Amino acid sequence: MISYARQTHEEQPDAPPPPVEEHIAPAPRVSVQAFCETVETAAAVQSAGEDRRLGKAHLKIQMGGMAAAIEAYRSAPTPNVIVLESDGRNDLLGGLDQLATVCDAGTRVVVIGRINDVMLYRELVRRGVSDYVLAPVGAIDVVRSICNLFSAPEAKAVGRIIAVVGAKGGVGASTISHNVAWAIARDLAMDAVVADLDLAFGTAGLDYNQDPPQGIADAVFSPDRVDTAFIDRLLSKCTDHLSLLAAPATLDRVYDFGTEAFDSVFDTLRSTMPCIVLDIPHQWAGWTKRALIGADDILIVAAPDLANLRNTKNLFDLLKAARPNDRPPLYCLNQVGVPKRPEIAATEFAKAIESQPIVSIPFEPQIFGSAANNGQMIAEISANHKSIEMFLQIAQRLTGRSETKKQKSSLFSPLIDKLRGK
């Protein structure tokens, strides 16, 4: 769902307001039982249970509505969350009173109803109902309601995971991810962390000119120790807003991981950092697939050739099928314009993918090579380089944020600056 921010007086009156992306944090490991009255609602709840944000929740669906719920819990403990569908007002309130006599303390109740009445909503809240959702509902409505039960309303939205992956090896996905993370931290003023998941050959430490003694490998191989304090000790600070969870980039051990190897690391980072950028290596394993599907937003980096087109199309198809309630991945073209290399035009690429590239970054080996060899970002090498604006555009789309507005300078600004200097 996309909402629109209110227009300020400083903006142009005819300029469209920037979209604000909705961010729904995933639910923890909880049990959810739904009691539906209609097959349509049951189908929506079933679809919600397949959403990545409820991937850790254990969902069970029964028909029969309120009566079935009351009967079920006469002899069985109640789950963490009960989802109830109800058609009537009087039956709903009376049924909730009966349910309260068999319901365990701490169980949260979500009611799906068809009566749009603020007085009814207030009465439901008074009786301890956690949320009231107006029918008919879609899968994303159910996901939002359940996930929001475990997000403190007064807390800021944290833990947006952005995954960056190359459609093919050597397309510069790591370089793009590191520069985009730099833009998120510098231009959007968001606290961000880059997690280099290529433990054997990762380049984030080189690109940010960091050589920390510890990094992400210490967390992956010690899952029982992972908590906020432990992860904080592993982070290497690059700037005021940007931190790095570096890869060891050594070959003294084999990095074979199970599908859920990084789960505890991601969960801990979500709880402490507003933005996590995953630099995912170009390999296909259970854990890379899980990291991509579980991310809030995805950027695919591709070069304009046939193999990249095929791989980008395959990734798009898989991710759209696995994430039906999320927006499709974004992709950018990189290394465009290599001399004497036949290339697929961006228009042809877009036609095959059925989506336009967010940007097309030209092939400029001099500046990108200098930045890599010096351990710097492009913005540090050349403050006015055209690719910097492209990195910012990607950062804004992936985070759903606009650039932090800088205070406008007035005619007297130079004089004021001189007086302050004195």
Side-chain angles (χ1 to χ4, degrees):
M1 185 182 73
I2 297 178
S3 60
Y4 290 91
R6 184 178 297 175
Q7 187 178 26
T8 64
H9 295 294
E10 294 179 353
E11 295 172 337
Q12 297 296 327
D14 55 347
V20 178
E21 300 291 345
E22 180 185 28
H23 174 56
I24 303 174
R29 242 174 257 279
V30 292
S31 57
V32 182
Q33 292 185 10
F35 295 86
C36 305
E37 293 188 346
T38 64
V39 292
E40 292 80 9
T41 298
V45 176
Q46 180 66 44
S47 179
E50 298 167 0
D51 187 276
R52 62 176 179 84
R53 285 157 288 211
L54 293 181
K56 293 182 179 179
H58 178 70
L59 176 65
K60 182 179 178 182
I61 303 172
Q62 294 178 234
M63 302 304 290
M66 181 72 73
I70 295 170
E71 185 61 32
Y73 300 128
R74 291 189 192 278
S75 57
T78 50
N80 300 112
V81 180
I82 299 174
V83 179
L84 292 170
E85 183 183 14
S86 176
D87 284 334
R89 179 185 187 123
N90 295 329
D91 292 343
L92 171 59
L93 297 178
L96 287 173
D97 290 339
Q98 293 184 57
L99 183 64
T101 64
V102 296
C103 192
D104 297 335
T107 296
R108 308 183 190 197
V109 177
V110 174
V111 174
I112 299 173
R114 287 172 170 73
I115 301 174
N116 190 3
D117 183 358
V118 67
M119 298 304 295
L120 173 61
Y121 174 76
R122 290 174 179 171
E123 181 61 26
L124 292 175
V125 171
R126 191 183 72 80
R127 293 175 186 238
V129 170
S130 300
D131 194 16
Y132 180 71
V133 185
L134 197 63
V137 296
I140 193 64
D141 300 315
V142 179
V143 170
R144 183 189 301 110
S145 179
I146 295 174
C147 289
N148 285 349
L149 296 178
F150 302 95
S151 299
E154 69 276 4
K156 62 180 180 179
V158 298
R160 192 185 193 105
I161 288 185
I162 295 168
V164 182
V165 66
K168 189 170 175 284
V171 297
S174 291
T175 299
I176 301 302
S177 66
H178 303 162
N179 279 275
V180 168
W182 183 273
I184 291 172
R186 189 191 70 162
D187 299 320
L188 305 185
M190 289 180 67
D191 288 332
V193 60
V194 174
D196 190 345
L197 304 187
D198 190 351
L199 271 66
F201 303 106
T203 59
L206 296 175
D207 286 352
Y208 290 121
N209 197 24
Q210 300 285 328
D211 188 21
Q214 294 178 302
I216 194 167
D218 297 270
V220 175
F221 289 110
S222 305
D224 296 337
R225 298 176 58 195
V226 173
D227 58 20
T228 302
F230 182 65
I231 291 294
D232 192 55
R233 289 196 298 271
L234 301 181
L235 292 176
S236 176
K237 202 165 185 63
C238 302
T239 69
D240 288 342
H241 290 290
L242 183 63
S243 299
L244 170 64
L245 198 54
T250 58
L251 304 180
D252 55 348
R253 67 197 304 175
V254 176
Y255 303 107
D256 291 334
F257 303 123
T259 302
E260 301 178 0
F262 289 89
D263 283 9
S264 59
V265 178
F266 296 163
D267 290 344
T268 304
L269 288 173
R270 274 189 186 276
S271 67
T272 57
M273 298 296 293
C275 185
I276 303 103
V277 179
L278 305 182
D279 181 5
I280 298 180
H282 180 73
Q283 64 183 77
W284 198 241
W287 69 268
T288 52
K289 179 180 178 181
R290 184 178 178 87
L292 283 171
I293 292 175
D296 295 294
D297 284 286
I298 303 163
L299 175 69
I300 301 169
V301 180
D305 63 30
L306 185 59
N308 276 273
L309 175 57
R310 179 202 63 187
N311 295 351
T312 302
K313 175 65 174 172
N314 288 342
L315 283 169
F316 254 74
D317 292 345
L318 179 139
L319 292 170
K320 286 170 69 175
R323 298 156 49 90
N325 302 312
D326 290 88
R327 67 174 176 176
L330 301 175
Y331 78 97
C332 72
L333 295 178
N334 191 32
Q335 303 173 352
V336 176
V338 174
K340 299 182 180 180
R341 181 182 72 177
E343 294 182 349
I344 297 176
T347 53
E348 295 300 316
F349 218 95
K351 186 184 299 182
I353 304 298
E354 298 180 347
S355 175
Q356 293 291 332
I358 181 171
V359 295
S360 294
I361 302 172
F363 177 68
E364 296 192 51
Q366 184 66 41
I367 188 166
F368 279 85
S370 296
N373 288 337
N374 294 336
Q376 292 178 298
M377 297 293 100
I378 301 299
E380 295 178 290
I381 293 286
S382 176
N384 297 317
H385 194 265
K386 55 188 176 183
S387 66
I388 298 173
E389 185 62 33
M390 296 182 185
F391 296 140
L392 176 58
Q393 186 178 345
I394 295 172
Q396 290 171 330
R397 287 285 299 276
L398 288 172
T399 61
R401 293 196 179 190
S402 299
E403 184 177 7
T404 302
K405 291 186 177 180
K406 298 178 181 178
Q407 195 171 16
K408 292 184 177 180
S409 59
S410 69
L411 187 64
F412 302 103
S413 292
L415 177 60
I416 294 172
D417 291 338
K418 285 183 180 180
L419 292 174
R420 284 177 177 169
K422 293 180 180 180

